[in-house]
């Protein structure tokens, strides 16, 4: 747009200057013609009006539709270069010429000049008029040339602008594309640093430096959680054994039995937290090395159902389809069987645990690209303000404090679904239950 405005202003300026120059040059020619005609009429002896008219008509400098009129002080027409076409005039015009001595104006598209000639016995008023056919033709050609030049210049500017802009922005587009592919799971991926000299290369270098720092921080965090969880398992296992041994010697003492029972319950809780943390840390650590195979999601759901019912016989779990898939491959995905089964275990267990009737409903649905699994319950529900933080580690809603749990299960589910490039969402209302929806791309 800037170049277009500049070219437009340049074209207007060239055309305006050329038009003004043409007009001034033509008026000078008219003035010269008027003065020459008056000089011949006044100073050359023996020349009559017919001879002067003949000279005007045959001169090399004759202009198109040229007319010259000369008036005396009584406003009488002394000389006319033509008989058939006269300049329209009135006495007020002759008076203005005498007053101004020289006037230039347009009359019926013809340039006209009024001049007071005072070199003779009496001052004469001369009106000279002509149509600048040649000058206007050149001006029209100039206008067309400028118009085509403007259009061509703008078109060329756009073409070159797009080319050079795409060339200059191509490295930035490449960086954006590379950055969009970097997640918490592949912080070791680096940006192309190009020639390592220009500003874009420096940006890529600085970004890679930041990625290195983030990756080290993540590795330290994962290493700490993994090692801490691993180191805690041994003393906790020993503590559990000691408590079980103590329970045998406290069978005849109700008070000690209660103490050991509480200790055993708390130890089981610690062991469960530790195992979950270790699973979470190792699943993140081994994301790049996990083996994916073709897995049918219904089989995982039935396996999770059997495992939960064996541990909690009071659970009620139903598995069904929203609609039967037309293609049997619509429920087969590429994934890690053990991790995906963990997702089903956690979500179904939560649905049963937070429902008064310990009931969970598992529904399967499919689209042309995805397999959708819905785990629903009619339990206590989740407050609207808690939903954005539901998948954060150790986060628990305030109204779930009476139900045993650690706030790790949903975080593990979220990480596993992310690993499988899927999504997990929740819809819930307090007192009416919740529905978790897992979307995974099928084969």
């Amino acid at each position: 747009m800037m170049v277009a405005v500049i070219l437009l202003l340049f074209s207007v300026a060239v055309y305006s200057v050329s038009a003004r120059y043409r007009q001034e040059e033509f008026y000078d020619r008219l003035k010269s013609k008027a003065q020459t005609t008056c000089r011949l009429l006044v100073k050359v002896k023996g020349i009559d009006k017919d001879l002067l008219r003949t000279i005007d008509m045959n001169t090399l400098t004759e202009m198109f539709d040229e007319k010259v009129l000369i008036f005396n002080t009584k406003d009488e027409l002394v000389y006319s270069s033509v008989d058939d076409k006269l300049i329209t005039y009135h006495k007020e015009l002759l008076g203005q010429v005498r007053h101004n001595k020289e006037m230039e104006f347009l009359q019926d598209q013809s340039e006209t000049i009024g001049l007071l000639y005072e070199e003779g016995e009496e001052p004469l008023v001369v009106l000279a008029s002509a149509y600048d056919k040649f000058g206007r033709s050149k001006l029209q050609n100039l206008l067309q040339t400028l118009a085509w030049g403007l259009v061509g210049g703008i078109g060329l500017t756009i073409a070159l602008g797009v080319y050079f802009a795409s060339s200059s922005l191509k490295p930035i587009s490449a960086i954006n594309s590379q950055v969009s592919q970097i997640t918490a799971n592949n912080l070791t991926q680096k940006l192309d640093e190009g020639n390592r000299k220009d500003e874009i290369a420096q940006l890529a270098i600085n970004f890679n430096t930041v990625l290195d720092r983030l990756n080290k921080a993540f590795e330290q965090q994962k290493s700490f959680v993994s090692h801490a969880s691993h180191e805690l398992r041994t003393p906790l296992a020993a503590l559990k054994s000691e408590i079980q041994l103590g329970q045998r010697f406290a069978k005849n003492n109700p008070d000690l039995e209660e103490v050991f029972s509480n200790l055993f319950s708390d130890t089981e809780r610690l062991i469960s937290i530790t195992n979950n943390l270790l699973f979470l840390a190792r699943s993140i650590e081994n994301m790049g090395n996990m083996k994916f195979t073709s897995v049918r999601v219904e089989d995982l759901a039935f396996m999770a159902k059997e495992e939960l019912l064996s541990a909690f016989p009071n659970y009620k779990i139903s598995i069904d389809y929203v609609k039967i898939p037309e293609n049997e491959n619509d429920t087969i995905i590429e994934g890690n069987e053990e991790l995906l089964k963990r997702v089903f275990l956690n979500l179904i267990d939560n649905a049963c645990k937070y429902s008064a009737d310990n009931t969970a409903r598992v529904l399967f649905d499919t689209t042309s690209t995805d397999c959708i699994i819905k785990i629903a319950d009619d339990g206590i529900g989740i407050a609207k303000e808690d939903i954005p933080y539901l998948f954060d580690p150790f986060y628990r809603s305030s109204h779930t404090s009476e139900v045993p749990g650690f706030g790790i299960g949903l975080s593990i589910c979220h990480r596993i679904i992310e690993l499988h490039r899927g999504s997990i969402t929740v819809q819930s209302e307090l007192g009416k239950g919740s529905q978790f929806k897992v979307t995974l791309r099928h084969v």
Side-chain angles (χ1 to χ4, degrees):
M1 288 181 66
M2 291 175 61
V3 172
V5 170
I6 292 172
L7 289 176
L8 179 61
L9 292 176
F10 173 77
S11 300
V12 170
V14 169
Y15 182 80
S16 300
V17 170
S18 299
R20 184 172 182 82
Y21 175 76
R22 179 209 64 82
Q23 191 176 55
E24 290 178 351
E25 188 268 342
F26 195 70
Y27 276 129
D28 287 341
R29 290 176 61 192
L30 281 176
K31 181 179 179 180
S32 176
K33 180 66 176 180
Q35 290 176 337
T36 300
T37 302
C38 282
R39 193 174 295 112
L40 289 174
L41 182 63
V42 173
K43 294 187 175 182
V44 178
K45 301 297 184 180
I47 190 170
D48 57 12
K49 297 176 183 179
D50 294 332
L51 180 58
L52 183 56
R53 188 177 295 117
T54 302
I55 293 173
D56 283 340
M57 293 175 62
N58 292 278
T59 181
L60 293 175
T61 59
E62 182 184 14
M63 296 169 282
F64 182 77
D65 197 19
E66 177 185 304
K67 299 178 284 289
V68 179
L69 303 180
I70 302 177
F71 301 87
N72 58 19
T73 54
K74 297 179 180 180
D75 294 339
E76 296 173 345
L77 183 62
V78 177
Y79 169 77
S80 173
S81 63
V82 291
D83 293 330
D84 54 341
K85 294 181 181 178
L86 297 178
I87 301 176
T88 303
Y89 68 95
H90 47 82
K91 293 185 177 181
E92 288 79 3
L93 174 61
L94 300 180
Q96 291 175 2
V97 172
R98 290 190 180 93
H99 179 267
N100 296 321
K101 295 187 178 181
E102 186 175 327
M103 289 179 60
E104 296 174 351
F105 55 93
L106 280 174
Q107 189 178 54
D108 299 331
Q109 295 188 346
S110 295
E111 277 83 8
T112 304
I113 186 170
L115 188 67
L116 182 63
Y117 184 80
E118 300 178 306
E119 296 182 9
E121 297 178 355
E122 62 174 337
L124 301 176
V125 174
V126 186
L127 297 180
S129 162
Y131 179 76
D132 190 7
K133 183 178 180 180
F134 179 69
R136 289 179 183 272
S137 176
K138 290 198 300 182
L139 198 62
Q140 184 65 27
N141 291 335
L142 175 63
L143 179 61
Q144 293 178 358
T145 303
L146 290 174
W148 283 111
L150 179 63
V151 173
I154 294 174
L156 185 62
T157 300
I158 292 174
L160 293 177
V162 170
Y163 173 75
F164 285 111
S166 61
S167 299
S168 60
L169 295 178
K170 191 174 182 180
I172 298 178
S173 299
I175 288 178
N176 285 332
S177 177
Q178 295 172 34
V179 169
S180 65
Q181 297 174 5
I182 297 176
T183 64
N185 305 328
N186 60 345
L187 289 175
T188 55
Q189 182 175 331
K190 302 299 181 185
L191 301 183
D192 183 11
E193 297 178 355
N195 57 15
R196 298 181 62 85
K197 294 179 180 179
D198 57 29
E199 289 79 3
I200 296 177
Q202 289 299 318
L203 175 63
I205 293 172
N206 292 335
F207 195 89
N208 286 338
T209 303
V210 173
L211 285 179
D212 285 334
R213 294 172 184 170
L214 285 174
N215 190 42
K216 289 179 181 178
F218 277 32
E219 290 297 329
Q220 290 174 356
Q221 181 188 29
K222 290 187 289 187
S223 177
F224 170 77
V225 174
S226 178
H227 284 85
S229 302
H230 181 74
E231 294 298 326
L232 284 172
R233 293 181 71 184
T234 302
L236 285 174
L239 180 60
K240 180 179 178 180
S241 299
E242 294 291 337
I243 291 173
Q244 288 175 328
L245 182 63
Q247 284 179 318
R248 294 182 181 179
F249 294 101
K251 287 184 177 181
N252 298 325
N253 190 331
D255 294 334
L256 283 177
E257 282 186 2
E258 185 180 356
V259 171
F260 277 111
S261 177
N262 292 335
L263 287 173
F264 184 80
S265 176
D266 291 339
T267 303
E268 283 287 312
R269 182 182 174 87
L270 283 172
I271 291 173
S272 180
I273 294 175
T274 303
N275 288 336
N276 279 325
L277 286 174
L278 185 60
F279 178 86
L280 182 62
R282 287 183 174 174
S283 65
I284 297 172
E285 187 176 357
N286 299 324
M287 276 182 178
N289 303 321
M290 287 184 179
K291 294 182 179 179
F292 280 24
T293 58
S294 295
V295 180
R296 188 175 293 276
V297 290
E298 304 104 305
D299 295 343
L300 296 177
F302 281 107
M303 291 168 60
K305 176 181 178 179
E306 292 177 6
E307 190 171 325
L308 286 170
L309 290 178
S310 65
F312 305 98
N314 60 322
Y315 280 5
K316 304 178 186 68
I317 304 170
S318 65
I319 300 175
D320 201 354
Y321 295 95
V322 174
K323 62 177 183 294
I324 303 297
E326 296 181 0
N327 189 335
E328 63 177 8
N329 291 330
D330 286 352
T331 57
I332 298 178
I333 65 170
E334 288 292 326
N336 183 279
E337 181 177 328
E338 190 62 31
L339 292 181
L340 290 173
K341 188 177 79 170
R342 185 64 175 259
V343 173
F344 279 100
L345 286 170
N346 284 343
L347 294 179
I348 296 174
D349 182 43
N350 282 347
C352 294
K353 186 165 57 176
Y354 290 105
S355 299
D357 56 357
N358 301 122
T359 300
R361 300 184 302 277
V362 182
L363 297 173
F364 293 96
D365 196 6
T366 58
T367 65
S368 59
T369 57
D370 298 321
C371 179
I372 302 169
I373 307 102
K374 299 177 183 178
I375 295 93
D377 63 71
D378 297 322
I380 60 177
I382 304 167
K384 188 176 181 180
E385 59 271 15
D386 290 329
I387 291 179
Y389 311 101
L390 204 59
F391 299 106
D392 294 347
F394 299 104
Y395 182 83
R396 299 195 72 201
S397 300
S398 57
H399 64 284
T400 61
S401 56
E402 297 180 358
V403 182
F406 317 117
I408 302 177
L410 288 179
S411 177
I412 291 175
C413 292
H414 187 260
R415 294 291 179 89
I416 294 173
I417 298 302
E418 274 191 339
L419 172 64
H420 288 79
R421 300 183 184 278
S423 64
I424 179 170
T425 57
V426 59
Q427 292 180 340
S428 184
E429 188 175 346
L430 280 176
K432 295 186 178 181
S434 305
Q435 177 180 276
F436 286 83
K437 184 173 77 171
V438 176
T439 303
L440 296 167
R441 185 172 291 273
H442 60 64
V443 296

